[in-house]
Amino acid sequence: MIRIVILGAGNVAKHLFKAFMAQEELEVAQVYARNPKMLSYFGANTKTTSDLTKIETADIYVLAVSDDAISELSKQLNLKKGLLVHTSGSVSIKALPKGVRRGVFYPLQTFSANRIVDFKEIPICIETTNKDDFKLLKHMASAISDTVVPLSTKQRKAMHLAAVFANNFTNHMYHLSHELCEQKEIPFELLFPLIKETARKLEGLSPFDAQTGPARRNDKGTIKRHLAQLKSKKQKKIYSLLSKSIRTTYG
Amino acid sequence: MIRIVILGAGNVAKHLFKAFMAQEELEVAQVYARNPKMLSYFGANTKTTSDLTKIETADIYVLAVSDDAISELSKQLNLKKGLLVHTSGSVSIKALPKGVRRGVFYPLQTFSANRIVDFKEIPICIETTNKDDFKLLKHMASAISDTVVPLSTKQRKAMHLAAVFANNFTNHMYHLSHELCEQKEIPFELLFPLIKETARKLEGLSPFDAQTGPARRNDKGTIKRHLAQLKSKKQKKIYSLLSKSIRTTYG
């Protein structure tokens, strides 16, 4: 049985809490949040506190707070025992205090309130400063996910950056597409099958091979007509830059 | 029974051929392609020809050729009877010859060789110049798809442009992400669950509400570190422009 304390009460904390609670070999001993109002979600199923001096002892302390808060909160914690891990893709393991057993537990997924995610499918990238802690952290990660991957801070930061393109920027493409549909009063929902197929294709084709469209064909006539259709400077700029980037990708 | 002649032998032609052949109420009487070598795929199941003077009579002639070829091929066809439709998102219905019954049959999907797609799920946008032809075209479209939508040329062109963002540019984001993974020797496959969830999220959330990431939070520190991590000018330019676009979207 691994005893866990979660520090934080946002989306990541909630999703992790649920996933940990579903495993017999894991026990969430306590959830901490600075703001007591944030703790109501957890209170029915575990102990909660807003007082840093009353943190329970645990095998693993999971920091599920914003990147900026990691360093300061982990200092205030003043841990004597246990493994302290943060859950950020872009923060170094060294942001945790020197005298503490340190680790990173980074689930490669986007978490929204009200979205159920299947943790079994989510890759968890882990890192520790010593071997025994790696085993312990791997044990916790493997309990909730089928894909546990050791990544160094450097690799994890690269992964996080790659995820910004694959997730954040992709979602912004959806938004720009949505905006165009709204401007012309056509239903964005019609694009859902196309959007899903675009994602699914990657299982059989590299994105390099899957690329289609006017920029891929270097179809200057269509590109010109599209640019004329776009109303805002921002849309035109993005269309031009990405079309150019696609063109140069294929020489 | 609707008799169909398909003109063209590329990916769209192949996928449509398969979908039409699976329906009892539709008959593919013939497939035409300029290059006889392209016809082997179809030859076992229907008549084929490379001679424009030997086109069979049909209720509907489906032009599944590149945008640039639509106008010229449809003139050469010299049809006396039947409804002539093209399958392009970005070409006007008026690109078809004046003296002919004209229509558009635009399946909103990306077609690759070797990818099986479920036509039932693919929205088909249709347009005709007269009402009876609309009924006929709707009949053919409804036989293979559950979603048949009337769209004017103007709306269809807007839809096609929206699809460039949702499909072509999204795929390019996947490519840039893939490139970053390769540069750092981390497996791109780890991002598949994230990519799929990003697409799936749209069913419950608008892309406006689904947006996450450093640009959404206006997290300048992370953005700066990401820019420093990127090696190529192109990557930096795209990262900057899209981050800025996200920032301004949320004010």
Side-chain angles (χ1 to χ4, degrees):
Chain A
M1 176 79 91
I2 300 178
R3 259 175 80 88
I4 302 165
V5 166
I6 296 176
L7 300 113
N11 283 330
V12 175
K14 281 176 187 163
H15 280 100
L16 284 177
F17 178 71
K18 249 190 173 169
F20 291 153
M21 292 292 281
Q23 301 304 320
E24 288 218 341
E25 50 195 315
L26 307 181
E27 182 200 354
V28 180
Q30 190 184 36
V31 176
Y32 160 87
R34 198 170 41 187
N35 180 351
K37 282 182 194 155
M38 296 290 284
L39 290 166
S40 58
Y41 177 90
F42 310 90
N45 297 294
T46 189
K47 292 184 203 164
T48 61
T49 184
S50 292
D51 183 346
L52 272 181
T53 65
K54 288 184 180 154
I55 298 294
E56 299 264 323
T57 58
D59 300 303
I60 305 181
Y61 297 83
V62 178
L63 281 169
V65 295
S66 69
D67 291 4
D68 297 338
I70 290 171
S71 177
E72 210 188 309
L73 178 59
S74 63
K75 267 179 226 156
Q76 290 172 351
L77 251 179
N78 205 9
L79 287 186
K80 302 283 178 271
K81 274 185 178 179
L83 171 62
L84 176 65
V85 301
H86 74 65
T87 54
S88 164
S90 62
V91 173
S92 169
I93 195 169
K94 290 178 183 164
L96 301 172
K98 259 195 175 173
V100 176
R101 286 162 50 204
R102 302 182 281 186
V104 180
F105 178 94
Y106 171 50
L108 198 49
Q109 188 52 283
T110 168
F111 298 103
S112 301
N114 308 323
R115 287 283 310 167
I116 296 165
V117 291
D118 180 3
F119 251 99
K120 282 280 159 220
E121 286 183 7
I122 299 176
I124 298 180
C125 310
I126 62 172
E127 178 184 9
T128 59
T129 43
N130 77 60
K131 273 191 188 172
D132 285 343
D133 286 338
F134 186 84
K135 270 189 212 161
L136 175 65
L137 194 56
K138 191 176 177 186
H139 185 164
M140 180 174 84
S142 304
I144 62 169
S145 168
D146 289 338
T147 313
V148 180
V149 195
L151 284 191
S152 68
T153 284
K154 210 176 162 187
Q155 290 174 312
R156 179 167 36 80
K157 284 183 177 179
M159 200 78 213
H160 183 253
L161 179 53
V164 167
F165 281 87
N167 166 28
N168 303 153
F169 291 166
T170 286
N171 186 73
H172 191 54
M173 293 302 120
Y174 300 159
H175 169 70
L176 295 170
S177 182
H178 187 218
E179 208 175 51
L180 287 170
C181 288
E182 283 197 326
Q183 281 166 10
K184 303 288 176 181
E185 293 179 357
I186 43 181
F188 177 61
E189 291 73 30
L190 288 180
L191 289 165
F192 285 1
L194 178 62
I195 285 171
K196 274 194 254 172
E197 170 68 5
T198 307
R200 263 196 308 248
K201 254 191 187 178
L202 295 181
E203 277 166 20
L205 281 174
S206 74
F208 182 90
D209 290 327
Q211 189 66 52
T212 57
R216 173 71 181 91
R217 297 190 304 271
N218 199 12
D219 174 351
K220 286 170 193 159
T222 302
I223 292 172
K224 212 175 150 188
R225 281 191 298 275
H226 278 169
L227 284 169
Q229 267 174 271
L230 291 167
K231 290 278 148 61
S232 85
K233 258 195 184 173
K234 184 174 102 169
Q235 290 169 336
K236 281 181 203 281
K237 236 181 161 176
I238 292 172
Y239 187 99
S240 292
L241 183 63
L242 296 183
S243 293
K244 199 177 149 196
S245 176
I246 293 171
R247 273 205 317 282
T248 57
T249 301
Y250 298 90
Chain B
M1 175 79 90
I2 300 179
R3 259 175 80 88
I4 302 165
V5 167
I6 297 176
L7 299 112
N11 284 329
V12 175
K14 281 176 188 163
H15 279 101
L16 284 177
F17 178 70
K18 248 189 172 171
F20 291 153
M21 291 291 280
Q23 301 304 322
E24 288 217 341
E25 51 195 316
L26 307 181
E27 183 201 353
V28 180
Q30 191 184 37
V31 176
Y32 160 86
R34 197 171 42 185
N35 181 350
K37 282 182 194 154
M38 296 290 284
L39 290 166
S40 58
Y41 178 89
F42 309 92
N45 298 296
T46 189
K47 291 183 203 163
T48 60
T49 184
S50 292
D51 184 347
L52 272 181
T53 66
K54 290 185 179 150
I55 298 293
E56 300 263 324
T57 58
D59 300 304
I60 305 181
Y61 297 84
V62 179
L63 280 169
V65 296
S66 70
D67 291 4
D68 297 337
I70 290 172
S71 178
E72 210 189 309
L73 177 59
S74 63
K75 267 181 226 155
Q76 291 173 351
L77 251 181
N78 203 11
L79 286 186
K80 301 283 178 272
K81 275 185 176 178
L83 170 63
L84 176 63
V85 302
H86 74 62
T87 53
S88 165
S90 62
V91 173
S92 168
I93 194 170
K94 290 179 183 163
L96 300 173
K98 258 195 175 173
V100 175
R101 285 162 51 203
R102 302 182 281 188
V104 180
F105 178 93
Y106 171 49
L108 197 50
Q109 188 52 282
T110 168
F111 298 104
S112 301
N114 308 322
R115 287 283 310 167
I116 296 164
V117 292
D118 181 3
F119 253 98
K120 282 281 158 219
E121 285 183 9
I122 299 176
I124 298 181
C125 311
I126 62 173
E127 179 183 9
T128 59
T129 44
N130 78 60
K131 272 191 191 172
D132 285 343
D133 285 339
F134 187 84
K135 269 189 212 162
L136 176 64
L137 195 56
K138 192 175 177 184
H139 185 163
M140 179 174 85
S142 304
I144 62 169
S145 168
D146 289 336
T147 313
V148 180
V149 197
L151 284 191
S152 68
T153 284
K154 209 177 162 184
Q155 288 174 313
R156 180 166 36 81
K157 284 183 176 179
M159 199 76 211
H160 183 253
L161 179 53
V164 166
F165 281 87
N167 166 27
N168 304 154
F169 291 166
T170 286
N171 186 74
H172 191 54
M173 293 303 121
Y174 299 159
H175 169 70
L176 294 170
S177 182
H178 187 217
E179 208 175 51
L180 287 169
C181 287
E182 283 197 328
Q183 281 165 11
K184 302 289 176 182
E185 294 178 356
I186 44 181
F188 177 60
E189 293 73 30
L190 288 179
L191 289 164
F192 285 1
L194 177 62
I195 284 170
K196 276 194 254 172
E197 170 68 5
T198 306
R200 264 196 309 248
K201 253 191 187 178
L202 296 181
E203 277 165 22
L205 280 173
S206 74
F208 182 91
D209 291 327
Q211 190 66 53
T212 56
R216 172 70 182 90
R217 297 189 304 271
N218 199 11
D219 173 350
K220 285 170 193 159
T222 302
I223 291 172
K224 212 176 149 188
R225 280 190 298 273
H226 278 169
L227 283 169
Q229 266 175 271
L230 291 167
K231 290 278 150 60
S232 85
K233 259 194 182 172
K234 183 174 102 170
Q235 291 169 336
K236 280 180 203 282
K237 237 179 159 177
I238 292 172
Y239 187 99
S240 291
L241 183 63
L242 297 183
S243 293
K244 199 177 149 196
S245 176
I246 294 171
R247 274 206 316 281
T248 56
T249 301
Y250 298 89

